[in-house]
Amino acid sequence: MYSIMDNLPTIIQGGMGAGVSSWRLAQAVSQLGQLGVVSGTALDSIFARRLQDGDPGGHMGRGLDQFPIPEIAERVWSRYYIPGGKAETAPYKLLPTHSKDIPLELKELCVVANFVEVILAREGHHNPVGINYLEKVQLPHLPSIYGAMLAGVGYVLMGAGVPLKIPGVLDRFANHQPATYSLQLTGAQDDDDRAMVFVPREFVGRDLPPLVRPKFIAIIASNTLAITMLKKADGRVDGFVIEGSTAGGHNAPPRGKLQLDEAGEAIYGERDSVDLEKIRALGIPFWLAGGYGSPEKLTAALASGAAGVQVGTAFAFCRESGLRADYKQALLAKALSGDVRVFTDPVASPTNFPFKVAQLEGTLSEHEIYSARPRICDLGYLREAYRTPMGTIDYRCSAEPVTTYVSKGGKVENTAGRKCLCNALMANIGHPQTRSGKYVESGMVTSGNDLTGIARFLPPGASTYTAADVVADLITGISFRASSRQDVSQPAAAPTFCSGD
Ligand SMILES: Cc1cc2nc3c(=O)[nH]c(=O)nc-3n(C[C@H](O)[C@H](O)[C@H](O)COP(=O)(O)O)c2cc1C
């Protein structure tokens, strides 16, 4: 077990995109002395939509005021802010979609949006805050990470891919040095230029003091990947989150040929479990995730040598999370009545990774709602970059209109059952796109299998619970560790672990 001298969190509140682990949730968890993690996925779109909703509460404006290059903050504000908010039936402004050479408007928005999310999550306490990215969503990586680092992010956590080159990016950005990231390109040839480049000094146009290099935690699901990360990463890896197949969001696909059970869910077996003895032997801290949201599981994780646990589902349905209140309430009510079901959909996500979907009326988990949606791809975060026959780079998504996808060389069989996660996830957090003043995008809630048990966080007689309820529940039984950190009944007290600050 790690000593408190290591200053490591016992509980990591897992990053939950898009916008479910918003600055409010991460702030609440970090205030309690554990690690709050904002989701860095699609923050540019989320930020632009918050401004178009009139910036309720003035939080985005407050974050923007702290951005170190005021002229960039001013440009972003004037591009998107609508006083009083857009009319309900008016559509949100469409942003340019991401591409290898990101347009300046989008680059500025990305840097600023990541900065603001982190700076707000850091308000009111002195503890570190983390940010989570999906490796597969590569195009926004460089400006996003730089923006988060400008705001003093303490941890960068990344999964859904093999993030070998991220540690090196963190090292370079700490000194405002240029960084590159190689785009995954289907059909790439050796001489293709796949380098995405971000040059901080060119972007900020002035000298800034060095930044803190955040700790880097890779989210993995196999021993092989742990070893690969340690051997081949181009910089320091500070820890691992070992995530099992019951976790919410995307899951690593099962090893070997994909097999489905009678219900159509991916089957995971012995080969998918991680040998924790071997992980422990690597000698760096690790946290366990996927069904670890209980005191018993936390105690078991600590006993196995883990520094703690990463928990998502329990936090996704608490008051501070960004998930729409009506979806939270409906799923909490189902959990209370024992009528809740989570389906591990093998095809819904254009990433081709199994994706967990909570079954909920009025969302894309229902066949009729899914079939009634026109296939439109206008956010594009999950697009795959591919080499065209002309040798140029183009982008396609298996959830876009089938003819378009096929005309770009995509296989028709890849399109069946695909869902537009980008639009659904924006709808989940209260920013649904409206089309022609009539069609409003529906959401689709992801959750881990632990959804069945979340009602136990409800205090007696209450219909909602808070992040503090979750943390208090989890640390029951490990009070010797908790008391060395912070009394969870005392919000925003002194820092209890430090790094990156
Ligand atoms: C609503 C939701 C969204 C999630 N989104 C992400 C994500 O964007 N990136 C990521 O690495 N993990 C994501 N996860 C996984 C969590 O970070 C965490 O590892 C997982 O939820 C832990 O398992 P549990 O759900 O059993 O607590 C998500 C989980 C949930 C419930």
Side-chain angles (χ1 to χ4, degrees):
M1 188 184 296
Y2 295 93
S3 81
I4 55 162
M5 298 308 289
D6 290 319
N7 287 327
L8 295 169
T10 305
I11 301 168
I12 301 177
Q13 162 258 302
M16 294 179 280
V20 173
S21 61
S22 61
W23 64 271
R24 277 179 208 281
L25 176 58
Q27 181 197 40
V29 175
S30 282
Q31 244 171 9
L32 295 164
Q34 304 300 336
L35 183 63
V37 177
V38 296
S39 164
T41 302
L43 273 179
D44 46 358
S45 286
I46 295 173
F47 186 78
R49 290 189 181 192
R50 286 175 183 157
L51 292 190
Q52 290 169 79
D53 286 341
D55 188 16
H59 305 295
M60 301 305 107
R62 190 170 75 251
L64 270 176
D65 286 345
Q66 300 173 64
F67 191 70
I69 307 103
E71 47 295 8
I72 295 181
E74 184 53 48
R75 276 201 292 275
V76 170
W77 176 262
S78 54
R79 268 183 208 129
Y80 302 105
Y81 177 64
I82 301 179
K86 71 171 187 67
E88 211 181 319
T89 51
Y92 288 109
K93 181 177 171 173
L94 277 184
L95 306 178
T97 40
H98 282 273
S99 55
K100 179 179 152 294
D101 300 307
I102 179 171
L104 182 63
E105 172 187 344
L106 203 51
K107 196 187 280 185
E108 292 189 336
L109 179 61
C110 249
V111 174
V112 162
N114 279 263
F115 173 90
V116 170
E117 199 72 2
V118 172
I119 212 82
L120 294 178
R122 293 188 65 206
E123 280 182 348
H125 62 92
H126 299 284
N127 294 328
V129 161
I131 194 159
N132 172 286
Y133 299 105
L134 301 170
E135 203 280 332
K136 279 209 169 212
V137 185
Q138 298 184 326
L139 295 166
H141 276 348
L142 294 177
S144 300
I145 291 172
Y146 186 65
M149 284 179 66
L150 278 179
V153 76
Y155 285 73
V156 169
L157 301 96
M158 195 180 280
V162 189
L164 291 175
K165 303 289 181 197
I166 294 294
V169 170
L170 304 182
D171 291 335
R172 298 191 67 77
F173 281 170
N175 293 308
H176 303 281
Q177 290 170 332
T180 58
Y181 201 80
S182 184
L183 180 64
Q184 218 172 1
L185 183 69
T186 305
Q189 295 186 1
D190 285 349
D191 54 353
D192 286 335
D193 174 14
R194 297 191 284 140
M196 298 184 282
V197 184
F198 186 87
V199 184
R201 281 206 172 76
E202 197 176 282
F203 180 80
V204 298
R206 67 198 64 178
D207 284 332
L208 293 175
L211 303 171
V212 169
R213 194 272 196 191
K215 285 184 191 279
F216 178 69
I217 311 263
I219 303 168
I220 57 168
S222 75
N223 290 94
T224 317
L225 191 46
I227 291 165
T228 306
M229 284 303 303
L230 290 185
K231 278 196 180 151
K232 298 202 175 150
D234 65 350
R236 203 180 66 236
V237 176
D238 299 284
F240 291 120
V241 168
I242 318 280
E243 196 181 69
S245 61
T246 64
H250 285 96
N251 301 135
R255 295 268 185 115
K257 194 171 176 302
L258 179 68
Q259 291 189 323
L260 304 181
D261 64 14
E262 277 175 10
E265 295 185 286
I267 301 177
Y268 289 85
E270 234 351 84
R271 288 173 67 203
D272 300 304
S273 58
V274 175
D275 184 338
L276 294 182
E277 274 300 313
K278 288 189 181 152
I279 295 286
R280 190 160 55 173
L282 297 173
I284 69 166
F286 63 96
W287 289 260
L288 300 182
Y292 280 86
S294 70
E296 298 77 24
K297 294 293 288 208
L298 172 55
T299 306
L302 294 172
S304 75
V309 294
Q310 171 166 289
V311 174
T313 298
F315 288 113
F317 297 91
C318 77
R319 271 211 295 270
E320 295 91 339
S321 96
L323 193 61
R324 273 164 57 164
D326 55 338
Y327 286 0
K328 273 186 219 172
Q329 279 311 305
L331 285 164
L332 262 164
K334 278 179 176 287
L336 261 174
S337 64
D339 174 33
V340 80
R341 165 141 167 73
V342 177
F343 179 69
T344 307
D345 193 322
V347 294
S349 171
T351 62
N352 218 15
F353 281 26
F355 186 68
K356 288 229 163 22
V357 180
Q359 305 301 291
L360 180 63
E361 294 74 20
T363 68
L364 288 175
S365 67
E366 290 197 304
H367 184 69
E368 307 75 62
I369 305 264
Y370 168 59
S371 347
R373 180 183 183 270
R375 281 177 90 116
I376 293 171
C377 174
D378 55 3
L379 292 171
Y381 291 98
L382 298 178
R383 294 187 310 165
E384 163 199 15
Y386 71 98
R387 186 182 204 276
T388 68
M390 312 288 290
T392 55
I393 297 179
D394 201 357
Y395 306 87
R396 64 189 175 210
C397 177
S398 51
E400 73 186 328
V402 177
T403 47
T404 315
Y405 182 70
V406 171
S407 73
K408 293 175 181 170
K411 294 197 175 116
V412 71
E413 57 269 29
N414 283 351
T415 62
R418 296 288 187 215
K419 297 183 173 170
C420 176
L421 254 52
C422 295
N423 273 290
L425 298 190
M426 295 301 273
N428 280 351
I429 55 169
H431 303 303
Q433 184 59 295
T434 302
R435 304 190 187 281
S436 316
K438 290 191 284 265
Y439 180 82
V440 180
E441 291 281 357
S442 304
M444 181 167 73
V445 182
T446 181
S447 167
N449 293 353
D450 263 4
L451 181 60
T452 48
I454 52 163
R456 74 192 172 78
F457 296 112
L458 288 171
S463 59
T464 60
Y465 64 88
T466 64
D469 292 323
V470 176
V471 170
D473 178 272
L474 260 58
I475 61 174
T476 317
I478 55 156
S479 51
F480 66 97
R481 284 173 66 87
S483 61
S484 66
R485 292 176 172 279
Q486 186 171 328
D487 177 353
V488 294
S489 64
Q490 305 286 317
T496 49
F497 64 98
C498 56
S499 79
D501 246 32

